[in-house]
Each structure stands twice: as C-alpha cells, then as structure tokens.
Amino acid sequence: MYDVIAIGCGPFNLGLAALADGVDDVRLAVFDSRPEFTWHRGLMFEDAMLQVSFLADLVSLVEPAHHLSFLSYLRQSDRLYQFYVREKFHPTRREYEAYLQWCAAQLESLHFGHHVRSVDWNGEAFELTVERGDAVEHYEARHLVVGVGTEPFVPAALAGLPEERFTHSADYLFRRDDLLRTGHVTVVGSGQSGAECFLDLLRSRDTAVSWLTRTAAFTPLDYSKLVLEMTTPSYVDYFHALDERVRDQLVKDQWRHYKGISSETLEDIHDVLYARDLSAAPAELQVGVGVVSAVARADGLELTMLHADSGKTFQHTTGGVVAATGYRNRPLPFMESLQPRIDHDASGRWVINRNHSVQGALEGRLFVANADLHSHGVAAPDLGLGAVRNATMLNSVAGREVYRLPKSTAFTTFAIPG
C-alpha cells in the first residue's frame, strides 16, 4: 500500500518524486512504461535553449535549498563556476535533460518498464494492475496522480502520408537524414518546434526548404516581464475562479504566451536566410495558409493549401513534410472504470479543483499534472509551476504543510480590487 502512486514520469511527476524524497509519512512510487528517463530527444539540438530560467527546476521555487536543485546538480558535476561566469539564466535543453536524469538516478521511488494496464477503486484505495515485462503485478495506493503528458498530434489533412517522407517534429532528429534525401522539405506549423526544425534545415544549404503556417505571422513568444506574471500562482488563483466559458476564451487568446517562437530563434533564422540568399537552395516562407489535404505522388508529396485571406486554394509540392502541429493530451484507457466517479465539464473534460485534485466521488484522492490547461490557464504546461503544483498536492495528501507555498508571486492584480 502506497500513499501516492504517480503514473507517468515526465518532469512534473519526477518533480513530485523529488519533493517527496525524504518526507517520511508519504510513501510514493512513480510508474512509467519507458525503459529509462528521456526528454524530447527528437528535438535535442546542440544549441537549443530552455525557455525558462534554471530556477524552474524540480524543486527550487518551493525549496531552493533542496538537495535535488539545479544548483546542487551543478555543484556535484563541478560546473558551478562555469555556469556563474556564463551569466545566462537559461540552461541548454541538453543540460536540463542531464539534470533531470541526474535527479532520476537518485530516486528509488521511480519504476521504469512498468505499464499501468488498469486502475480501479475498491472504496478505500486505488487498485492498479501493472505489466512488468512478462509479469503482471498489483499495487494499491490511497492517492493517484495522473501525469502521462501529451503525445504528438497529426491533423487529418496530413495523416496517411508515407513514413519515409513524413514525420512529426517530435521525431525530427531521428528522421532528419531521410528527409534531407528528398531534396525539398516543408515544415508545417510555426511554434518553437517548427522554427527550430526550419532553422536546422536551412543550415543544410543543399536542401530546398519551405515553412508554412496558418498564423498571420511568424509570431514571437511574448516573454515580457509583466506578461510572465501570468505564469505565476497568483494568476492561476484568478484564472481558476473564472467561469468555464471565460477560461476557454482566454486560453485561445493567450496562445502567444506559450506557443510563440523565441526572439533569438527568429533572429537566427533571419541571419541564416540572409546568408543563404547568396548561394544556396531556395527557401520559402508563407503565412496565413493551412493544409486542406495531402497526397503522395510518384515524385513526392502534393499539399492542397487554403489561403485564409483570399479563400483560394493552391498546390504545394515537396519531397518531405515535418508536421510541427503540436501535442494533445494522451488518452487514458487505464482510467476507464473510474470515469463515472469523475465530474466532467460541458466539453467532457475533467473538472479540476484549485489544488489539482479532480472533482467527484474521488475528490482529494485523484490528482492531475499538466492536463489542466482548461482549468489553470497558460501556466499549466510551464515548468515554473511544477514545483508549486507538486508541493500543493503533497500538502493535500499529507494533510499538513509539508512545504510552505508562496503567498505573493506577482505585482499585477488580476481580480477586482477588494
């Protein structure tokens, strides 16, 4: 019998295990079907930067003196002074993964190669059926945290293209050489992932490259200081108290806060375009266009595009396609038996309390990590919220203040004064 079992071991549930480490009255286990911890390997470019400060590690924004902080990692790897002289708050993405793996290696509560097949409720605890190789094992837990993360999303218009000519951006580096051999690669979608894939393709000067997006511009991430206060617990408090209809509209309107492109990446792209313009294969950028359909021809792929402003369609031919089309929450077949005990909103989503527990018959027992954009706003997928969310859940599970939560996190007032 565990106090908490967390399903999925991404950065958020890894952070939960880190904060629970050393808390004597909370026995926790994390199950993940993968053989080991990895993070965004298909987009691990050498120079890719994390889009948040090193303080957005697993623990620091709740307990900066924790032994699994990023600074502790630097000290143990004897790189603290190098990081200090570097004078950049943002680590590289590769270094952040190394930090996460360093933490994972020190946590005995993590169990990889454990595939959760089903979860049931017996009236007092959750019963989990778990596949481990050829064996089937059974576990119980008083509380459950679902944090299986997201999976690559491919729109219907691009589905069915031949694998040798198509990939989602999540697997770009694994498929890069195949794509380059097609002679002309088109990136569809203009978030950070799409921009990084396009920039990498641009640097392969012998390959023609196209970049197509539905948005009206290649829009930069809004990273101004006061806008960043919308990723703080103060804004989450405000957002969560709003009506569902208002929250849904705000999430649509605030896409630039978490789906835009870093200004540094856009500058790099323009620099490479300028240099490439003299003596390289052609490069094409087009905004305000969406893919209507796509078919494979003998000599490549043909995409039917809709130009939003004119309402007209045109054909775009290419050798290969990278779909930088984002991610969607993973399906939860193992939770099927619990769905009748969970409250759902008008859109069929789980109704999630401010403390990240799910409303319904399992309230206070079932929690979610990074599946609460609709209830907690643009901060939900932000690494900077992870430590506070995990501390909130641990406090709730323990029934006491295991970790002191920050009270004041923004200068901005979001609600009506008083």
Side-chain angles (χ1 to χ4, degrees):
M1 172 69 75
Y2 286 94
D3 295 300
V4 183
I5 287 180
I7 303 175
C9 191
F12 292 123
N13 274 348
L14 178 59
L16 180 67
L19 284 178
D21 188 44
V23 180
D24 294 336
D25 57 343
V26 177
R27 187 169 182 240
L28 176 141
V30 181
F31 294 151
D32 194 291
S33 59
R34 298 173 299 170
E36 61 181 353
F37 182 90
T38 60
W39 190 62
H40 294 308
R41 285 287 175 85
L43 287 167
M44 199 62 72
F45 299 100
E46 287 291 340
D47 56 351
M49 301 292 292
L50 201 66
Q51 289 185 293
V52 292
S53 161
F54 73 92
L55 289 173
D57 62 14
L58 301 182
V59 295
S60 287
L61 288 172
V62 166
E63 182 49 76
H66 198 281
H67 69 283
L68 293 178
S69 71
F70 183 77
L71 290 180
S72 295
Y73 158 73
L74 290 177
R75 181 180 63 179
Q76 188 169 102
S77 58
D78 199 22
R79 301 178 69 236
L80 194 56
Y81 262 88
Q82 291 90 329
F83 187 80
Y84 160 67
V85 173
R86 178 174 175 262
E87 291 190 332
K88 293 180 180 179
F89 268 21
H90 292 201
T92 64
R93 198 178 297 160
R94 187 178 297 276
E95 182 176 32
Y96 194 76
E97 186 197 36
Y99 156 69
L100 297 177
Q101 291 176 323
W102 172 80
C103 292
Q106 300 181 65
L107 293 168
E108 296 181 357
S109 57
L110 308 183
H111 303 277
F112 293 96
H114 286 60
H115 173 69
V116 178
R117 192 167 69 188
S118 64
V119 182
D120 295 291
W121 175 254
N122 64 16
E124 295 183 356
F126 295 98
E127 297 179 340
L128 286 77
T129 301
V130 179
E131 295 176 354
R132 184 184 180 191
D134 295 331
V136 176
E137 301 174 344
H138 301 276
Y139 299 86
E140 289 189 350
R142 296 183 180 89
H143 303 85
L144 191 72
V145 179
V146 178
V148 296
T150 57
E151 64 182 5
F153 170 73
V154 176
L158 292 173
L161 292 178
E163 183 177 340
E164 65 271 15
R165 292 184 177 272
F166 175 80
T167 187
H168 190 275
S169 57
D171 296 320
Y172 170 76
L173 288 177
F174 303 133
R175 302 293 316 287
R176 180 178 183 272
D177 291 343
D178 292 337
L179 292 166
L180 290 175
R181 280 192 285 269
T182 69
H184 181 184
V185 185
T186 296
V187 178
V188 177
S190 61
Q192 182 67 22
S193 298
E196 290 178 357
C197 292
F198 181 68
L199 176 59
D200 183 71
L201 290 165
L202 278 179
R203 288 168 171 159
S204 302
R205 298 176 60 83
D206 296 332
T207 303
V209 190
S210 299
W211 191 14
L212 313 177
T213 179
R214 290 184 302 173
T215 57
F218 295 105
T219 309
L221 185 72
D222 195 338
Y223 205 73
S224 53
K225 295 292 188 293
L226 293 180
V227 167
L228 280 179
E229 293 201 335
M230 297 174 67
T231 63
T232 64
S234 294
Y235 184 75
V236 174
D237 290 339
Y238 166 73
F239 184 91
H240 188 270
L242 297 172
D243 292 338
E244 176 187 335
R245 176 185 58 82
V246 178
R247 293 199 305 256
D248 286 347
Q249 187 59 50
L250 283 174
V251 169
K252 291 179 181 178
D253 294 342
Q254 294 168 355
W255 64 272
R256 279 191 60 192
H257 306 328
Y258 63 104
K259 289 185 177 180
I261 307 165
S262 76
S263 297
E264 293 80 7
T265 302
L266 288 172
E267 289 177 7
D268 289 344
I269 286 172
H270 194 274
D271 288 345
V272 177
L273 282 170
Y274 184 79
R276 180 184 169 112
D277 197 38
L278 295 174
S279 60
E284 170 194 21
L285 296 84
Q286 187 154 18
V287 297
V289 295
V291 182
V292 176
S293 62
V295 295
R297 304 294 188 196
D299 56 347
L301 306 177
E302 182 179 271
L303 279 58
T304 300
M305 309 297 299
L306 174 65
H307 185 259
D309 291 340
S310 68
K312 297 179 179 179
T313 60
F314 64 95
Q315 306 306 120
H316 173 81
T317 57
T318 185
V321 168
V322 179
T325 47
Y327 299 79
R328 296 291 185 273
N329 288 331
R330 293 184 187 277
L332 305 173
F334 57 88
M335 296 289 292
E336 197 60 37
S337 69
L338 300 182
Q339 293 291 351
R341 299 176 180 272
I342 298 171
D343 291 347
H344 296 74
D345 65 17
S347 300
R349 301 165 300 196
W350 290 0
V351 179
I352 303 171
N353 296 315
R354 177 61 186 90
N355 71 346
H356 308 283
S357 70
V358 177
Q359 285 188 21
L362 301 174
E363 192 158 338
R365 299 278 191 170
L366 174 61
F367 297 81
V368 296
N370 194 22
D372 47 7
L373 179 67
H374 64 287
S375 59
H376 288 66
V378 295
D382 194 284
L383 291 172
L385 190 68
V388 174
R389 173 167 46 209
N390 288 330
T392 301
M393 291 191 290
L394 284 173
N395 288 353
S396 180
V397 167
R400 62 184 178 85
E401 191 180 63
V402 180
Y403 289 102
R404 182 172 63 85
L405 298 175
K407 300 296 190 295
S408 174
T409 58
F411 294 114
T412 306
T413 299
F414 301 103
I416 296 175

